[in-house]
Amino acid sequence: MGCRSQIRVWSDDEQVAFAAMRAAWEGMNELEMVLSDWNAQAEVAQLNAQGNKKLSPELLAAARTARELARATGGAFDFEKGGLFFAWRQQRSRGELLDPAEAQRLALLPPAQLSADGFAELAAGNRWDFGGIGKGMAADLGGEILRSHGCPHFQVDCSGDLLVGEAINTNSNWSIATEIEGVKIPVPSNHAVACSGDLHQFLLHKGNRYSHIMDPRTGEFVLNQNLIFVIAPTATQADAWATALSVENELLRPKDIHTVHYPLPE
């Protein structure tokens, strides 16, 4: 995580709106300290460093949700392949490819052993990485808090993972601008949209454009990735499915998961 976020609220009562936004920020910051793998004080970072840990109720719930989405996507999204993703980030930062044999080895590491009471033990060399779902979880939590404070008209944007509440005009969708000039995505009330692609995170190597995303099932690279926008009932779903469909765009998906594809702008 560690992303830039923005909350916008439409309300006739400024004090109510500000109180709701403060509460939402506090809740999202608390979740950041659960799911982050880069902040050494965060719970996931501690699990990765120690290899085993008794999970808080918040992390246990997040892990169970993420596992459900990993199963639903056939493993094309998988937060439990953090060892693979971490190694690929390190190599990209050096301008180098990850060795294919090492990538395959990391992709084959088993998931954590997770007991019913929430004790997790990682396979040696593996990590958890909520980067493909954590922003969506944070947006959903922010939206839940805003609604509970009487603010149904809102946008919670976690670095491109956007959850919207009730539209200002109840007879229309939200119209969401994108980074592609002139392209807007219609999003229904109380839905989310997430974008995945290698517009900003990629490695150019010997004439090929390698995405920051890898196939967690095999350790294979994703090449020349288009932008994909996923509209879903929750930001958590949109985030995970955007990652999964970037890996395999022909995945069978639920009827309430909708997509829009665009080639990368030149």
Side-chain angles (χ1 to χ4, degrees):
M1 298 173 69
C3 63
R4 297 183 64 180
S5 301
Q6 182 181 61
I7 297 175
R8 301 179 69 189
V9 170
W10 288 259
S11 174
D12 293 331
D13 191 321
E14 186 175 277
Q15 289 186 333
V16 168
F18 277 115
M21 287 190 286
R22 273 195 302 272
W25 281 123
E26 289 172 1
M28 292 164 67
N29 286 333
E30 289 173 4
L31 185 61
E32 166 80 17
M33 292 305 298
V34 173
L35 300 183
S36 174
D37 67 341
W38 63 270
N39 186 325
Q41 303 303 313
E43 190 173 356
V44 167
Q46 292 176 357
L47 170 63
N48 289 340
Q50 297 165 196
N52 58 69
K53 195 177 190 304
K54 177 67 181 293
L55 307 186
S56 67
E58 292 78 15
L59 181 52
L60 181 58
R64 287 172 172 166
T65 296
R67 280 189 166 182
E68 289 174 4
L69 282 162
R71 286 192 291 269
T73 62
F77 156 80
D78 193 344
F79 77 107
E80 297 196 76
K81 298 300 175 69
L84 172 66
F85 306 146
F86 180 73
W88 179 215
R89 281 200 303 271
Q90 287 187 312
Q91 291 301 105
R92 289 202 327 274
S93 70
R94 303 184 187 108
E96 301 172 355
L97 292 180
L98 180 61
D99 177 72
E102 176 65 3
Q104 184 180 49
R105 183 190 72 81
L106 292 168
L108 293 175
L109 289 176
Q113 296 182 30
L114 185 58
S115 67
D117 64 350
F119 187 84
E121 184 165 357
L122 302 177
N126 209 358
R127 303 163 63 92
W128 277 4
D129 184 341
F130 281 81
I133 196 172
K135 293 185 297 181
M137 289 180 167
D140 283 335
L141 176 61
E144 180 183 334
I145 293 171
L146 293 172
R147 292 186 186 103
S148 72
H149 281 70
C151 294
H153 306 291
F154 62 81
Q155 294 180 356
V156 181
D157 184 353
C158 291
S159 193
D161 287 9
L162 178 69
L163 177 73
V164 298
E166 293 287 342
I168 305 304
N169 182 347
T170 56
N171 295 320
S172 66
N173 294 327
W174 294 88
S175 181
I176 305 302
T178 71
E179 291 189 82
I180 305 174
E181 185 176 356
V183 173
K184 294 186 177 182
I185 305 292
V187 180
S189 292
N190 297 310
H191 277 66
V193 59
C195 178
S196 184
D198 61 6
L199 185 61
H200 301 294
Q201 298 187 70
F202 60 89
L203 173 67
L204 290 175
H205 186 79
K206 294 184 178 180
N208 290 315
R209 183 182 178 113
Y210 293 85
S211 172
H212 67 291
I213 295 172
M214 296 190 81
D215 189 333
R217 302 166 298 185
T218 63
E220 294 178 345
F221 297 105
V222 175
L223 293 170
N224 303 315
Q225 181 190 353
N226 289 335
L227 292 178
I228 180 169
F229 297 91
V230 173
I231 298 99
T234 70
T236 301
Q237 291 172 298
D239 198 2
W241 276 100
T243 300
L245 290 165
S246 293
V247 170
E248 183 181 342
N249 61 20
E250 297 300 325
L251 281 175
L252 183 65
R253 54 189 181 273
K255 293 181 179 179
D256 56 1
I257 304 295
H258 303 283
T259 61
V260 180
H261 296 258
Y262 283 96
L264 282 174
E266 297 294 334

